[in-house]
Amino acid sequence: MSFSSQIKDELLNITDIKPCCSLAEMYGLMLFAKTFSKREMYLNTENEAVADKYRQVAERLSLDSVEMTKSQSGKCKVVVNSEKQRQKILEAFGFTGNERSRRINWANIANECCLSAFLRGAFLACGTINDPEKNYHIEFNVPYSLHSDLLRVFGEADMSAKEIKRNNSYILYFKDSEEILDLLTYMGANDSVLEYTGVKIIKEIRNNVNRKMNFENANFDRIFEASMRQVDAIEKLKKLGRFSRLNPQLKEIAQLRLDNPDMSLKQIGEQLKPPLSRSGVNHRMQTLLNMADEL
Ligand SMILES: [Zn+2]
């Protein structure tokens, strides 16, 4: 089951709802479906339980039966077929049916408590959320006429969605895991919030370990590259007969490097008697590199 379906199933199972909030939830579900007008009213969804909920709401408000079909690929479509039924549903939410575009009728979400139920309905109709294992993303796919209204709903709930135009609709989305958790909590998906938080914590631990390992690998690569340059320089000195003429201090360091290409400068310094600091070793190594360069 997709993470979207899991959350939608959880949201559909919230039953302890006040009458005012129940109306707001039905309104969110109907309004944010694929279409909502006197001419056309239907919902497309991959989630059969959501389709069934839409069907029940439409039947309850229009006092007549509504058809639900399911394609072979599992997509459900619920269509309110008769104009008389569509008119009844529009009137139930305070519309005449002659409105030019789909907008929110704020009278249906009059109380503060209703806002979360309304968002829940909207998410059921047009929302999707990605599995947090993959990436943090939740979105509402809405028509142009509703996008500013929905932004306002988020604003009233102290959330600020980002938006992007995709084909003929607008996507309102959140990418920040904390914001997504706030939204899920707000809609009442408490079990999924716990699961989401768990995945997030494990991911953060894993990312920290990876970051540390990458850092150590990069560090090791850097040491190794520098060491190879030094070995090349020392071998060049040898080939051109300059090695035997080096002063004893330089010769000692050069030999240590040839024998231990994987040692850091600090470790080479520790091998010397008396020991030499990293910068001291670096200084001598630099002298060797310069001598090889000049040849
Ligand atoms: Zn309410």
Side-chain angles (χ1 to χ4, degrees):
M1 194 198 289
S2 72
F3 200 72
S4 273
S5 281
Q6 180 189 323
I7 291 200
K8 288 183 180 182
D9 284 354
E10 185 182 354
L11 295 179
L12 284 167
N13 278 318
I14 298 174
T15 48
D16 185 18
I17 305 175
K18 287 198 265 180
C20 58
C21 298
S22 174
L23 177 79
E25 187 189 70
M26 291 193 276
Y27 182 47
L29 178 66
M30 298 291 305
L31 181 68
F32 284 91
K34 189 71 184 169
T35 56
F36 181 75
S37 72
K38 192 157 84 175
R39 206 164 53 83
E40 210 178 23
M41 195 178 286
Y42 70 89
L43 171 85
N44 281 335
T45 177
E46 317 230 323
N47 187 307
E48 197 168 343
V50 172
D52 203 48
K53 169 89 174 182
Y54 181 92
R55 186 184 56 77
Q56 285 172 30
V57 170
E59 286 182 345
R60 189 169 143 198
L61 297 174
S62 71
L63 305 172
D64 206 344
S65 64
V66 169
E67 196 186 324
M68 175 173 134
T69 55
K70 193 174 171 184
S71 75
Q72 282 194 327
S73 60
K75 284 193 179 140
C76 302
K77 187 170 184 179
V78 190
V79 186
V80 183
N81 263 322
S82 87
E83 186 177 324
K84 212 174 107 198
Q85 279 177 287
R86 294 194 290 270
Q87 183 70 32
K88 270 194 187 146
I89 291 170
L90 288 165
E91 283 169 6
F93 295 119
F95 295 103
T96 62
N98 298 319
E99 288 78 12
R100 280 180 54 229
S101 62
R102 217 186 324 179
R103 299 295 299 267
I104 288 180
N105 176 3
W106 297 92
N108 294 318
I109 27 178
N111 307 326
E112 215 185 318
C113 60
C114 302
L115 213 54
S116 100
F118 178 70
L119 265 183
R120 191 160 63 226
F123 181 76
L124 288 172
C126 73
T128 48
I129 180 167
N130 292 7
D131 187 335
E133 279 285 358
K134 289 190 197 123
N135 58 359
Y136 302 129
H137 183 88
I138 188 168
E139 68 174 45
F140 292 68
N141 186 335
V142 301
Y144 170 75
S145 64
L146 279 174
H147 87 280
S148 58
D149 281 357
L150 186 56
L151 277 178
R152 194 177 137 193
V153 172
F154 285 127
E156 302 257 336
D158 282 332
M159 289 180 262
S160 63
K162 296 192 175 56
E163 61 176 318
I164 183 175
K165 195 171 178 296
R166 191 190 291 160
N167 302 326
N168 290 321
S169 52
Y170 274 76
I171 309 294
L172 269 51
Y173 66 93
F174 297 87
K175 280 228 163 277
D176 181 88
S177 58
E178 288 300 325
E179 287 176 344
I180 293 172
L181 282 167
D182 285 348
L183 177 54
L184 292 179
T185 307
Y186 191 74
M187 293 192 295
N190 298 329
D191 292 346
S192 300
V193 164
L194 282 181
E195 189 184 332
Y196 207 94
T197 307
V199 172
K200 179 171 139 73
I201 290 171
I202 290 171
K203 262 177 95 169
E204 276 168 5
I205 293 172
R206 211 158 50 206
N207 285 346
N208 276 338
V209 170
N210 283 344
R211 232 192 323 272
K212 194 156 173 257
M213 274 174 62
N214 286 342
F215 176 76
E216 280 171 4
N217 286 344
N219 218 10
F220 180 78
D221 287 349
R222 225 178 47 235
I223 290 172
F224 190 72
E225 257 175 51
S227 166
M228 284 301 101
R229 270 204 315 279
Q230 294 154 6
V231 168
D232 285 348
I234 295 162
E235 274 171 354
K236 185 175 173 190
L237 293 174
K238 264 196 165 165
K239 207 155 74 188
L240 298 175
R242 303 296 286 270
F243 187 82
S244 53
R245 281 192 269 150
L246 292 173
N247 71 41
Q249 288 156 339
L250 286 180
K251 199 187 275 178
E252 188 182 15
I253 284 208
Q255 194 57 52
L256 269 172
R257 172 48 88 212
L258 288 180
D259 295 341
N260 307 284
D262 54 347
M263 268 190 189
S264 67
L265 296 181
K266 184 166 174 275
Q267 287 169 321
I268 287 183
E270 285 161 0
Q271 301 290 313
L272 296 169
K273 286 185 188 85
L276 188 62
S277 70
R278 190 199 165 277
S279 70
V281 177
N282 186 42
H283 182 76
R284 288 184 196 175
M285 214 57 100
Q286 209 54 52
T287 309
L288 290 166
L289 285 170
N290 290 344
M291 286 169 74
D293 261 358
E294 281 163 17
L295 292 174

